[in-house]
């Protein structure tokens, strides 16, 4: 008997019919004699709506209360999924993240999993149940409800698969697998049979929302091989696993566009030791994730000054502004300019380690498409550029055509 972990995302459980479809799939898998643990997301749109409601009351709501609010989304779906299984005469029981033994730190809205003690899950499986666990949520050791960051049900699934030593981990979603680019934007995108953890991690952190990046990080760390596949058909999906030698033959595995970034430019920053440290320490303390950072060369006739730009997630922009405004006088910044009209376009591939000329080809493609590059950052296996949001999708298509076809 195998233990299978299946995760169904928001669209897959988006309405009663879809929930019944998921129940039928689970029932089929169970018929084969396996133990099944299911992780579900909130129904599509529910989490966004809850956030919107809170922000209509206050632009920067208390994060503990946001977690209490957002955790209700998944709690609805676990019960509905259990009811749908009961309707098929399949014994099933729902558990919140806390009941499933998921213990996190106390960083509300972005909590990290500390440990999982899935005692209850084992007990209920042994009694013959399908166990349905709420994704995206956990509890601190003091009993506070937490959530794991947007898309966090993926993390619940991978982490539970690791803790339960599952034989199979399947991430069911609304596309057939991981593609060379978002198939909703690039019509010529191709489904990948397999992809390495590192490539999936880069693509996910760079905007390919098919997997939450922290879940891929976790999978890599604990060696959880998983498959991304569709809840709407039986097509084989994409296997995400450790890099193999043959993967290096492909220079660019995928292209990603992140439309959720914002840029902050600090104008007239005193160019002396300790200033950048002060700024980024304060942002870090407020749990604002910083991505790209670019510092200009010094200017000004008196004491040297510089301009400093960095990108943050749009969701963190207000918080970042608050932190910077509190520091403005202390540090002596002249001005703060923000823009949400940026897109981050990236190409990713382990093959970049052994190929040259990749950046040149990307920049040339963008130049030919009339796209100006605002910021650049690279790693061993990726190149990212910040560009005008309005040109993002056209640029993505051009770069995909140049590297993948
Ligand atoms: P779920 O609700 O199942 O977690 P998500 O909406 O979070 O699903 O992720 C699936 C979506 O990710 C797809 O509908 C697709 O538009 C998008 N996506 C972005 N990049 C990719 C990619 N490279 N391959 C597949 N899907 C992608
Ligand atoms: N419901 C949460 C979200 O929308 C978690 C998830 O769907 O994975 O981000
Ligand atoms: Mg998702």
């Amino acid at each position: 008997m195998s233990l299978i972990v299946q995760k169904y995302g928001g669209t897959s459980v988006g309405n009663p019919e879809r929930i019944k479809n998921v129940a039928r799939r689970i029932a089929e898998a169970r018929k084969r004699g396996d133990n099944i643990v299911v992780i579900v997301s909130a129904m599509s749109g529910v989490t966004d709506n809850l956030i919107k409601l809170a922000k209509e009351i206050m632009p920067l709501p208390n994060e503990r209360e946001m977690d209490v609010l957002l955790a209700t989304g998944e709690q609805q779906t676990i019960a509905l999924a259990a009811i749908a299984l009961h309707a098929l005469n399949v014994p099933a029981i729902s558990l919140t993240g806390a009941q499933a033994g998921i213990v996190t730190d106390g960083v509300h809205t972005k909590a990290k999993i500390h440990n999982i003690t899935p005692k209850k899950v084992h007990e209920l499986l042994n009694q013959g149940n399908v166990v349905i666990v709420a994704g995206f949520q956990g509890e601190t050791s003091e009993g506070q409800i937490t959530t794991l960051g947007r898309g966090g049900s993926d993390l619940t699934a991978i982490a539970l698969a690791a803790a339960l030593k599952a034989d199979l981990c399947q991430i069911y979603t609304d596309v057939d697998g991981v593609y060379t680019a978002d198939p909703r934007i690039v019509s010529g995108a191709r489904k990948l049979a397999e992809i390495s953890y590192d490539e999936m991690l880069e693509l996910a952190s760079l905007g390919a929302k098919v997997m939450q990046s922290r879940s891929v990080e976790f999978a890599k760390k604990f060696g959880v091989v998983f498959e991304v596949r569709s809840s709407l058909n039986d097509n084989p999906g994409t296997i995400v696993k450790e890099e193999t030698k043959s993967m290096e033959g492909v220079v660019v595995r995928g292209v990603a566009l992140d439309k959720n970034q914002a840029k902050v430019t600090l104008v007239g920053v005193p160019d002396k030791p300790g200033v950048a440290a002060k700024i980024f320490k304060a942002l870090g303390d407020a749990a604002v994730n910083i991505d790209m950072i670019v510092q200009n060369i010094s200017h000004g006739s008196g004491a040297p000054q510089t301009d400093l730009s960095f990108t943050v997630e749009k969701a963190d922009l207000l918080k970042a502004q608050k932190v910077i405004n509190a520091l403005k006088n202390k540090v002596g910044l002249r001005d703060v300019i923000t823009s949400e009209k940026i897109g981050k376009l990236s190409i990713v591939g382990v093959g970049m380690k052994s190929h040259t000329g990749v950046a040149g080809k990307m920049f040339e493609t963008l130049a030919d498409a009339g796209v100006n590059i605002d910021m650049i950052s690279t790693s061993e296996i990726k190149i990212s550029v910040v560009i005008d949001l309005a040109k993002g999708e056209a640029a993505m298509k051009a770069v995909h055509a140049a590297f993948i076809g």
Side-chain angles (χ1 to χ4, degrees):
M1 190 188 273
S2 302
L3 174 58
I4 304 180
V5 168
Q6 298 189 334
K7 178 253 168 178
Y8 292 91
T11 320
S12 303
V13 292
N15 58 43
E17 272 320 308
R18 290 275 172 92
I19 294 176
K20 287 194 215 167
N21 166 59
V22 162
R24 279 193 295 273
R25 285 182 164 265
I26 297 167
E28 276 300 310
R30 191 169 174 276
K31 248 193 234 156
R32 295 192 280 270
D34 295 322
N35 271 328
I36 319 266
V37 175
V38 177
I39 287 87
V40 287
S41 289
M43 295 163 80
S44 55
V46 166
T47 309
D48 286 341
N49 265 333
L50 291 170
I51 294 174
K52 195 163 147 260
L53 270 176
K55 291 199 168 166
E56 274 171 23
I57 297 174
M58 189 182 181
L60 209 53
N62 176 280
E63 291 179 332
R64 178 194 179 276
E65 302 310 329
M66 284 310 285
D67 277 352
V68 174
L69 179 66
L70 296 192
T72 63
E74 271 67 15
Q75 208 164 320
Q76 295 176 3
T77 331
I78 48 171
L80 291 170
I83 291 167
L85 281 161
H86 296 165
L88 300 175
N89 291 319
V90 176
I93 184 156
S94 64
L95 295 178
T96 64
Q99 288 172 327
I102 299 174
V103 179
T104 72
D105 65 16
V107 183
H108 285 291
T109 78
K110 286 179 190 162
K112 288 205 171 76
I113 295 180
H114 261 177
N115 58 72
I116 302 185
T117 316
K119 198 167 139 254
K120 191 99 205 130
V121 178
H122 280 301
E123 269 171 34
L124 292 167
L125 283 174
N126 290 340
Q127 290 164 17
N129 293 290
V130 169
V131 180
I132 302 174
V133 179
F136 179 53
Q137 53 172 260
E139 187 182 74
T140 65
S141 46
E142 287 86 39
Q144 300 290 329
I145 296 173
T146 52
T147 64
L148 310 175
R150 295 306 306 267
S153 300
D154 294 331
L155 178 57
T156 308
I158 303 276
L160 260 180
L164 294 165
K165 300 191 174 54
D167 300 288
L168 202 58
C169 179
Q170 300 172 315
I171 306 290
Y172 285 92
T173 183
D174 56 4
V175 281
D176 283 358
V178 180
Y179 280 69
T180 50
D182 187 340
R184 295 186 204 285
I185 301 177
V186 180
S187 55
R190 295 186 208 145
K191 185 170 72 182
L192 298 162
E194 56 180 30
I195 184 170
S196 69
Y197 290 127
D198 286 338
E199 289 168 326
M200 187 69 251
L201 183 54
E202 288 285 10
L203 282 175
S205 3
L206 296 167
K209 76 165 193 163
V210 62
M211 286 300 296
Q212 187 215 30
S213 60
R214 281 171 55 191
S215 71
V216 185
E217 220 173 313
F218 199 102
K220 181 180 174 185
K221 191 164 165 198
F222 292 95
V224 180
V225 175
F226 61 96
E227 183 183 13
V228 180
R229 54 186 301 164
S230 170
S231 65
L232 303 168
N233 61 47
D234 290 320
N235 298 341
T238 303
I239 305 288
V240 187
K241 60 177 199 181
E242 203 47 73
E243 182 182 328
T244 57
K245 201 79 208 131
S246 66
M247 288 179 179
E248 278 192 26
V250 176
V251 183
V252 174
R253 182 87 49 205
V255 182
L257 176 65
D258 189 348
K259 299 178 183 176
N260 272 317
Q261 296 278 313
K263 187 171 80 165
V264 180
T265 302
L266 310 179
V267 185
V269 183
D271 197 2
K272 58 181 187 197
V275 173
K278 238 182 232 142
I279 294 168
F280 292 106
K281 166 94 178 33
L283 289 164
D285 289 346
V288 174
N289 282 331
I290 308 291
D291 183 31
M292 288 189 195
I293 304 176
V294 172
Q295 181 174 326
N296 281 350
I297 50 167
S298 271
H299 56 73
S301 42
Q305 292 188 334
T306 183
D307 298 338
L308 197 61
S309 293
F310 56 89
T311 57
V312 295
E313 276 181 26
K314 272 187 188 148
D316 277 346
L317 181 58
L318 264 182
K319 203 157 57 161
Q321 278 174 307
K322 215 170 140 186
V323 171
I324 299 292
N325 284 335
L327 277 178
K328 203 171 163 190
N329 291 333
K330 202 155 73 184
V331 172
L333 308 177
R334 191 148 24 94
D335 207 358
V336 184
I337 304 168
T338 61
S339 167
E340 294 190 71
K341 295 202 170 83
I342 62 159
K344 186 170 61 181
L345 178 67
S346 310
I347 54 175
V348 172
V350 287
M352 275 184 215
K353 288 190 243 181
S354 49
H355 289 78
T356 54
V358 185
K361 182 168 168 184
M362 181 183 190
F363 300 161
E364 198 174 24
T365 307
L366 290 170
D368 291 346
V371 179
N372 192 43
I373 300 173
D374 194 8
M375 297 164 102
I376 300 171
S377 87
T378 62
S379 80
E380 232 187 352
I381 65 162
K382 71 124 201 243
I383 301 167
S384 299
V385 294
V386 168
I387 56 177
D388 177 7
L389 181 60
K391 293 190 174 162
E393 293 196 0
M396 186 187 201
K397 287 176 192 162
V399 168
H400 189 277
F403 284 100
I404 295 166

